[in-house]
Amino acid sequence: FLRKLYPMMKEMTKMLMAIMEEGEDGKLHFPWTMSAEFPPHTNGLKTRKKYENRFGPDATCDIAYTKWMCEKLLEAKGILGIKDEEEAEKWQYTIDHIADFTYDAFGGLMVRADQPYNESHRHLTHLFPITQTYQITYDNEEGKKIIDNSIHALKVFGTGEWMGWAFSETAKIALLSEKPGMAEQLIHEYCDKFVFPNTMDTDGSRYGCSFGF
C-alpha cells in the first residue's frame, strides 16, 4: 500500500511546495491560504463577512500538513528503499525552512499568520498540529502551554457556532492534554444535542446557543 501511496504523496507535496515563497526572514511562507471557511461568511442567520477575508498568509493547517508530508515522505523513502535524492533534499529543505506556527494574544495557535481564532467556529483546523500531525504534544512544557492556551481561546469564544464534530475534536484535545473530565463533558453534550436515539448525527450549528466547558 505504501508503495502505491508514495507517488501520490510526492505529487501532493510538490503542489504545496510550488505555492510557497521564501520571505526576507529566510523562511518558506504560503502567501495565500485558507483555513476551512474561517472567518465564517455568516454568523448565525446574519451575513456579515466578505468572502475574501477567508484568505491570507500561512494557514496553520497548511504549515502543519506540508511539514508532516515532507517528514513522512522521507520516512517512506527509507522504508521502500527508493533512491529519490533530489526530491529528498527539497523535502528536508522545506522541513528546515518552513515558517513557524504563529500564536495569538493568549499564546494559542493562530488560524493564519494574520488571523487569530477570535470567534466561535465549527472548524478547528488551526489545531491540526495538536490533533492530526502531533507536532505539538503535552509531554513537554512548551507544548503544554500552547495546548492549554489554545483550549482557553475555544472557551473564551464559546461553542455557539460549533457542529457535532467540533465537540468530539475538542474532546480529543482534552484527552491529549490529560483532561478526561472535560472530554467526558464534551462527548455528553455532543450525544445529547447532536445525536438522535437511532444514532443518526444531526450536523448544524446552534446559532449562538453556547455551552460552557
Side-chain angles (χ1 to χ4, degrees), residues 24-202:
E24 294 180 0
D25 58 356
K27 296 284 189 178
L28 296 171
H29 296 273
F30 287 102
W32 196 243
T33 51
M34 176 184 179
S35 186
E37 304 171 4
F38 195 98
H41 192 52
T42 61
N43 183 19
L45 300 176
K46 185 178 179 182
T47 300
R48 61 183 184 84
K49 294 287 185 182
K50 290 184 178 180
Y51 188 78
E52 294 82 0
N53 291 345
R54 290 184 178 177
F55 297 90
D58 289 340
T60 298
C61 58
D62 288 330
I63 296 290
Y65 269 141
T66 302
K67 185 173 184 178
W68 184 86
M69 283 288 281
C70 288
E71 291 170 343
K72 296 308 172 185
L73 277 165
L74 288 172
E75 186 178 341
K77 172 183 173 295
I79 292 170
L80 297 171
I82 295 175
K83 296 186 182 299
D84 218 344
E85 302 310 321
E86 186 176 345
E87 292 298 318
E89 288 182 13
K90 295 177 183 178
W91 300 330
Q92 189 61 58
Y93 185 86
T94 300
I95 292 168
D96 294 339
H97 293 85
I98 197 165
D100 299 321
F101 299 131
T102 49
Y103 303 97
D104 59 22
F106 300 115
L109 286 163
M110 297 267 281
V111 176
R112 298 188 313 259
D114 66 337
Q115 176 66 63
Y117 182 85
N118 57 4
E119 58 185 298
S120 181
H121 194 254
R122 62 186 175 273
H123 294 301
L124 306 179
T125 46
H126 68 297
L127 301 182
F128 276 5
I130 301 169
T131 62
Q132 307 298 322
T133 58
Y134 305 107
Q135 291 151 327
I136 298 174
T137 59
Y138 213 68
D139 59 3
N140 60 84
E141 288 304 314
E142 182 182 8
K144 283 183 179 181
K145 288 180 182 178
I146 295 169
I147 293 172
D148 286 342
N149 291 335
S150 297
I151 291 173
H152 179 68
L154 297 181
K155 289 182 176 183
V156 167
F157 297 106
T159 64
E161 293 297 314
W162 286 17
M163 292 190 184
W165 64 75
F167 286 88
S168 59
E169 190 79 351
T170 306
K172 179 181 179 180
I173 298 171
L175 289 174
L176 290 171
S177 60
E178 302 172 7
K179 300 175 179 62
M182 179 189 294
E184 182 181 14
Q185 185 183 20
L186 287 161
I187 291 299
H188 277 306
E189 180 69 6
Y190 165 62
C191 292
D192 183 50
K193 301 296 194 302
F194 292 90
V195 182
F196 283 131
N198 66 357
T199 73
M200 180 177 288
D201 177 83
T202 57

